[in-house]
Amino acid sequence: MASVLVFVAPGFEEIETATIIDVLRRCGLKVVTAGIAEGAIMGSHGIKFLLDTNISECSVGDFSAVVCPGGSPGYQNLRKNAKVLAMVKEAFLAGKVVAAICAGPAVLADAGILRNKNCTIYPGMEDELKKAGANPKSDFVVEDGTIITSQGPATALLFSLKIAERLADKKTVELVKENTLAK
């Protein structure tokens, strides 16, 4: 079974994070939530998440994908964390799926993996991608190689299903699409 590491930082976007976890688990994937802080972490809208582990306990080699949710100041807390940046780069260099939504693609930019890549980000933040040498697109979800990016809370379901399409069996993903009215 494929496994996914979801980074969670104080100020994360709750809709995106919950959707990623829920959809990927519905698709039969093992999802591990890892915080950059100990204990429960507060989202940007006052909802606390109790996480599975801390990133200090994780190794990229144990996962098929890594995911950066957005939210502010969540994405800023992720991009300031040297271990998160190193793990994102390691996952990319190992050919694993690296995904980010909302302002999360700024973390991928800081990790140095977006040069000449097509990607998207929360509207109005395209300069974050351009500074990294990326090619910003206005699509809700953009795939380029093993990188998957998306624009924000309203695109979280599409984004999560796109990750699932890469990691889960097709029949299961189609059933989840049907059951969530995403088909």
Side-chain angles (χ1 to χ4, degrees):
M1 167 189 347
S3 58
V4 180
L5 178 62
V6 179
F7 298 114
V8 184
F12 65 92
E13 168 51 57
E14 292 94 336
I15 291 172
E16 295 162 1
T17 307
T19 303
I20 293 162
I21 296 163
D22 182 83
V23 168
L24 297 181
R25 286 183 177 166
R26 286 177 192 233
C27 289
L29 300 171
K30 178 182 177 188
V31 179
V32 174
T33 56
I36 67 167
E38 295 294 331
I41 295 183
M42 183 78 71
S44 60
H45 299 96
I47 300 173
K48 285 185 182 178
F49 274 33
L50 183 59
L51 306 176
D52 299 316
T53 191
N54 185 280
I55 63 168
S56 63
E57 305 296 321
C58 298
S59 171
V60 169
D62 295 334
F63 298 94
S64 310
V66 297
V67 183
C68 296
S72 185
Y75 87 96
Q76 294 160 332
N77 290 324
L78 290 178
R79 78 189 311 189
K80 288 188 278 188
N81 188 290
K83 181 148 175 79
V84 169
L85 296 176
M87 292 175 83
V88 165
K89 188 166 194 166
E90 181 183 351
F92 173 73
L93 293 174
K96 297 174 185 285
V97 172
V98 178
I101 185 169
C102 195
V107 179
L108 307 189
D110 288 355
I113 67 168
L114 293 182
R115 179 157 300 286
N116 299 318
K117 295 289 184 183
N118 294 319
C119 50
T120 194
I121 195 167
Y122 191 84
M125 294 186 67
E126 293 81 6
D127 284 348
E128 292 282 347
L129 303 178
K130 291 176 186 173
K131 287 188 296 190
N135 307 313
K137 303 295 178 188
S138 62
D139 301 29
F140 288 157
V141 179
V142 176
E143 291 180 89
D144 192 332
T146 60
I147 297 174
I148 302 171
T149 54
S150 189
Q151 290 187 334
T155 66
L157 184 58
L158 299 172
F159 171 70
S160 301
L161 288 166
K162 188 57 69 179
I163 296 168
E165 287 173 2
R166 292 284 191 97
L167 301 172
D169 76 82
K170 185 176 180 169
K171 184 176 180 182
T172 301
V173 175
E174 290 304 313
L175 183 60
V176 170
K177 284 181 181 179
E178 184 177 315
N179 290 341
T180 58
L181 307 180
K183 193 159 175 117

